[in-house]
């Protein structure tokens, strides 16, 4: 394997910066490693941030400032018994968590997480390899990511329907209505920026906003930005739209019967989706990684800001009822999104 | 090479999944294999280089089958098998015969493959979305607009059918509760 890698890199070093399969592979491994680590660490950050906002300390006992709580949780999840209920549809019950986790990472394969870079020459074997910003640069990137994230909701839906549990069924029903509500708003809100840039590729979005803060699309499309954020919260099941598993109402919704690592996979998927939505918002509306040499830092700051915003909102707002979510999406947000698209079209034509 | 492998993989998986959809007596298996098959069909579009249509297939069918699931949830117990009643054997005969005919025609189609020509080939350097847009608004403008009007009619009809008591909240309004109970009792 290593010999093959070496010879291929040797041939590709000659014509840089072409995207090689080695570069794509490095990027894919990078995304998998970094995002699953952040997704795990995100649970710790969430507990800490929520604790500070509620004047508590949060996890403190395991390691300094509770930093090793993550390891403790991981050991607990991995060693817990994997229970499959007797009357459940066992096959569907067992593959449902994998759908959530897998689609979350497939969606990330078309998202530019960091800027492109070239590995320095002094590093053996891989030196000089050009690592692209996106593992696979589709020219319809935005649609692919949104479609894949939508497919991710089959995880909660199938989990809820297969587990022969009333709370699970209610969770699955809420998944379906939540999906049918927010999906229209996501598509229509992001349509206006797409019209302005004239492309569905994330790289084109990034390049269109290369002229500094003044050229960010948020200034031209503030309405679309707010709508996309609200729909993004619904897409990632964050408060105030965490209807699928709201503890006070439906025990744990679709996740009621799950334990151990299958339960953990739902949450890895959910945190990966939070990062995806943050990256999309940062690239489509806040200029992405276009700031020259500092692009890698600014994109991390922007993504971090959106991640923090999700935790902040969770600490600040109660959640809504399912009928309120449907009312909000279909009667308020969708008309605003349509009007926004029409006005954008008129302004562009005149 | 890779395309051939991918094509046969997607073909086998799609046919297998749709067979489960037709054969299975469990509504959850049927729906799930239908959704998975529809997602895999988008793979064919990607192999052919029609990225845009592939993604549209993905988004449209993921949403459409999600709506079908909600009906399955209302009418069936997802964890039990459904007892099917096949009283009309003539219909089974007719549908089976038609399927066989279609199958024969599909296998015979390559004989005339020379007659099939791409009238609107993709342009180099132009995105998929642009190509589809140009064809939609020139050659296929009338069907496109007719489809749009039909969808609009369906939407308005849906709102009128469902929207008689839209301003009343079923959870907040106590009188709505009474009404539901009365209707239940009447049955």
């Amino acid at each position: 394997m290593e010999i093959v890698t070496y010879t291929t890199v040797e041939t590709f070093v000659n014509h840089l910066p072409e995207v090689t399969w080695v570069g794509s592979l490095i990027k894919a491994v990078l995304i998998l490693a970094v995002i699953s680590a952040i997704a795990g660490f995100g649970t710790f950050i969430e507990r800490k941030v929520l604790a500070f906002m509620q004047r508590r300390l949060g996890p403190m006992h395991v390691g300094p400032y509770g930093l090793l709580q993550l390891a403790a949780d991981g050991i607990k999840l991995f060693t817990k018994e994997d229970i499959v209920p007797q009357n459940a549809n066992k096959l569907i019950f067992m593959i449902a968590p994998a759908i959530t986790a897998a689609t979350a990472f497939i969606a990330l394969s078309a998202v530019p997480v960091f800027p492109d870079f070239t590995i320095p020459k002094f590093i053996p074997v891989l030196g000089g390899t050009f690592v692209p910003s996106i593992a696979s640069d589709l020219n319809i990137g935005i649609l692919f990511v949104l479609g894949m994230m939508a497919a991710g909701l089959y995880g909660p839906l199938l989990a809820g329907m297969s587990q022969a549990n009333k709370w699970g069924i209610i969770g699955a029903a809420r998944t379906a209505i939540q999906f049918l509500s927010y999906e229209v708003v996501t598509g229509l809100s992001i349509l206006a920026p797409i019209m302005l840039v004239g492309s569905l590729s994330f790289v084109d979005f990034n390049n269109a906003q290369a002229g500094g803060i003044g050229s960010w699309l948020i200034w031209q499309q503030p309405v679309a930005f707010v709508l996309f954020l609200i729909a993004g919260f619904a897409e990632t099941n964050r408060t105030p739209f965490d209807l699928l598993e709201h503890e006070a109402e439906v025990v744990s919704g679709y996740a009621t019967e799950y334990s151990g690592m299958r339960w953990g996979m739902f949450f890895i998927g959910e945190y990966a989706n939070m990062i995806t939505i943050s990256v999309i918002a940062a690239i489509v509306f806040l200029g992405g990684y276009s700031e020259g040499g500092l692009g890698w830092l600014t994109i991390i700051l922007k993504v971090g800001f959106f991640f923090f915003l999700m935790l902040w909102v969770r600490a600040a707002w109660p959640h809504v009822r399912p009928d309120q979510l449907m009312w909000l999406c279909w009667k308020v947000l969708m008309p605003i999104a349509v009007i926004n698209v029409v006005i954008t079209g008129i302004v562009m034509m005149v | 090479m890779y395309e051939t492998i991918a094509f046969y993989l997607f073909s086998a998986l799609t046919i297998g999944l749709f067979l489960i959809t037709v054969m299975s007596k469990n509504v959850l298996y049927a729906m799930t294999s239908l959704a998975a098959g529809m997602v895999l069909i988008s793979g064919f579009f990607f192999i052919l280089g029609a990225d845009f249509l592939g993604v549209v297939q993905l988004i449209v069918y993921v949403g459409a089958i999600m709506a079908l699931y909600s009906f399955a949830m209302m009418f069936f117990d997802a964890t039990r098998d459904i007892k099917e009643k096949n009283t009309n054997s003539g219909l089974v005969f007719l549908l089976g015969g038609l399927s066989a005919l279609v199958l024969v025609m599909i296998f015979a189609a390559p004989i005339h493959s020379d007659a099939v020509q791409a009238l609107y080939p993709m342009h180099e350097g132009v995105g998929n979305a642009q190509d589809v847009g140009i064809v939609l608004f020139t050659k296929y403008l009338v069907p496109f607009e007719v489809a749009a009007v039909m969808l609009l009619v369906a939407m308005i009809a849906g709102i009128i059918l469902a929207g008689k008591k839209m301003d009343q909240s079923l959870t907040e309004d106590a009188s709505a509760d009474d009404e539901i109970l009365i209707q239940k009792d009447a049955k």
Side-chain angles (χ1 to χ4, degrees):
Chain A
M1 185 62 202
E2 244 175 63
I3 299 161
V4 176
T5 318
Y6 184 69
T7 48
T8 339
V9 173
E10 276 291 295
T11 47
F12 277 127
V13 163
N14 299 330
H15 32 92
L16 283 172
E18 196 176 327
V19 178
T20 65
W21 67 269
V22 186
S24 297
L25 191 71
I26 293 172
K27 187 71 188 184
V29 172
L30 209 66
I31 289 175
L32 262 179
V34 171
I35 302 291
S36 24
I38 293 177
F41 197 59
T43 57
F44 174 75
I45 295 172
E46 171 157 24
R47 290 171 70 175
K48 272 293 183 194
V49 168
L50 284 181
F52 286 135
M53 286 188 178
Q54 296 158 356
R55 298 195 181 178
R56 297 183 285 119
L57 285 174
M60 287 296 284
H61 287 288
V62 193
Y65 295 98
L67 265 173
L68 294 176
Q69 182 70 41
L70 181 60
D73 284 345
I75 292 169
K76 186 195 80 175
L77 282 181
F78 271 110
T79 52
K80 233 177 170 179
E81 187 188 352
D82 181 25
I83 299 169
V84 179
Q86 193 176 17
N87 289 324
N89 190 328
K90 294 193 177 53
L91 177 69
I92 305 279
F93 183 85
M94 282 157 80
I95 61 171
I99 295 177
T100 305
T103 50
F105 283 104
I106 295 173
L108 273 167
S109 73
V111 172
V113 184
F114 295 112
D116 41 15
F117 62 95
T118 309
I119 295 177
K121 292 267 188 199
F122 56 81
I123 294 172
V125 184
L126 291 175
T129 313
F130 176 73
V131 178
S133 56
I134 309 180
S136 107
D137 184 12
L138 304 166
N139 57 8
I140 35 88
I142 288 182
L143 289 182
F144 180 79
V145 173
L146 292 180
M148 230 46 227
M149 290 184 68
L153 274 187
Y154 274 101
L157 183 80
L158 294 176
M161 284 184 77
S162 64
Q163 61 186 243
N165 181 313
K166 283 173 200 163
W167 308 117
I169 280 282
I170 296 175
R174 287 182 170 199
T175 311
I177 59 154
Q178 180 156 333
F179 173 81
L180 297 175
S181 304
Y182 79 74
E183 188 64 9
V184 181
V185 183
T186 321
L188 283 177
S189 66
I190 213 161
L191 190 59
I194 290 174
M195 284 160 68
L196 282 178
V197 175
S199 168
L200 293 164
S201 162
F202 281 116
V203 178
D204 288 346
F205 267 94
N206 183 57
N207 297 341
Q209 303 172 74
I213 290 182
S215 67
W216 287 4
L217 277 177
I218 186 175
W219 310 126
Q220 291 178 53
Q221 290 290 342
V223 180
F225 174 68
V226 174
L227 291 177
F228 180 76
L229 263 195
I230 295 174
F233 275 60
E235 186 145 12
T236 49
N237 311 333
R238 300 301 301 175
T239 321
F241 306 120
D242 61 337
L243 308 171
L244 317 188
E245 32 135 2
H246 195 260
E247 301 89 8
E249 290 177 356
V250 287
V251 186
S252 192
Y254 67 88
T256 306
E257 296 281 4
Y258 279 91
S259 64
M261 212 45 219
R262 290 193 199 283
W263 184 85
M265 275 156 89
F266 277 123
F267 285 83
I268 290 174
E270 184 178 325
Y271 279 87
N273 274 337
M274 282 166 70
I275 294 166
T276 314
I277 283 286
S278 305
V279 176
I280 296 176
I283 287 175
V284 172
F285 293 102
L286 291 191
Y289 51 90
S290 51
E291 283 89 355
L294 280 175
W296 62 273
L297 182 64
T298 52
I299 184 98
I300 289 177
L301 287 177
K302 288 165 192 168
V303 171
F305 168 73
F306 282 115
F307 199 87
F308 176 73
L309 188 71
M310 289 181 176
L311 309 183
W312 191 4
V313 168
R314 179 170 173 188
W317 264 311
H319 83 131
V320 301
R321 290 196 314 260
D323 64 308
Q324 287 171 328
L325 172 71
M326 282 190 279
W327 171 84
L328 182 72
C329 282
W330 285 106
K331 284 176 149 181
V332 180
L333 299 183
M334 194 195 74
I336 295 176
V338 171
I339 292 168
N340 187 38
V341 168
V342 171
I343 291 176
T344 308
I346 291 173
V347 170
M348 281 175 73
M349 294 303 288
V350 173
Chain B
M1 176 60 187
Y2 287 118
E3 286 178 355
T4 318
I5 294 173
F7 174 77
Y8 283 114
L9 183 72
F10 282 133
S11 310
L13 281 173
T14 313
I15 293 172
L17 283 165
F18 283 148
L19 268 181
I20 295 173
T21 308
V22 179
M23 303 292 188
S24 173
K25 284 182 179 168
N26 187 313
V27 68
L28 203 50
Y29 283 142
M31 304 288 310
T32 310
S33 56
L34 181 66
M38 287 298 183
V39 169
L40 283 174
I41 282 183
S42 71
F44 293 111
F45 288 105
F46 284 116
I47 293 174
L48 291 170
D51 297 356
F52 182 73
L53 288 181
V55 169
V56 167
Q57 164 89 15
L58 195 71
I59 292 175
V60 167
Y61 280 98
V62 162
I65 296 174
M66 188 76 85
L68 269 184
Y69 264 108
S70 57
F71 284 106
M73 218 183 295
M74 283 186 269
F75 294 130
F76 303 109
D77 180 354
T79 53
R80 304 262 183 287
D81 284 356
I82 292 161
K83 291 194 187 86
E84 286 177 273
K85 280 185 282 184
N86 268 338
T87 48
N88 194 345
S89 56
L91 189 67
V92 175
F93 179 77
L94 182 70
L95 289 177
L98 277 179
S99 314
L101 187 67
V102 170
L103 213 59
V104 169
M105 282 164 72
I106 289 171
F107 279 112
I111 297 170
H112 284 289
S113 62
D114 298 341
V116 181
Q117 281 174 344
L119 288 176
Y120 295 90
M122 278 163 43
H123 299 95
E124 282 299 320
V126 183
N128 252 238
Q130 283 90 333
D131 267 346
V132 171
I134 289 167
V135 175
L136 268 188
F137 283 95
T138 51
K139 166 94 173 164
Y140 297 112
L141 181 64
V142 176
F144 182 65
E145 293 294 338
V146 169
V149 171
M150 274 170 65
L151 285 175
L152 186 67
V153 168
M155 192 174 81
I156 293 170
I159 290 171
I160 289 174
L161 281 176
K164 277 170 190 151
K165 284 178 185 159
M166 243 180 181
D167 295 330
Q168 283 175 313
S169 167
L170 289 177
T171 42
E172 279 173 355
D173 191 356
S175 66
D177 266 2
D178 295 341
E179 212 163 292
I180 292 168
L181 290 177
I182 291 164
Q183 281 178 352
K184 230 183 204 171
D185 291 339
K187 277 175 191 170

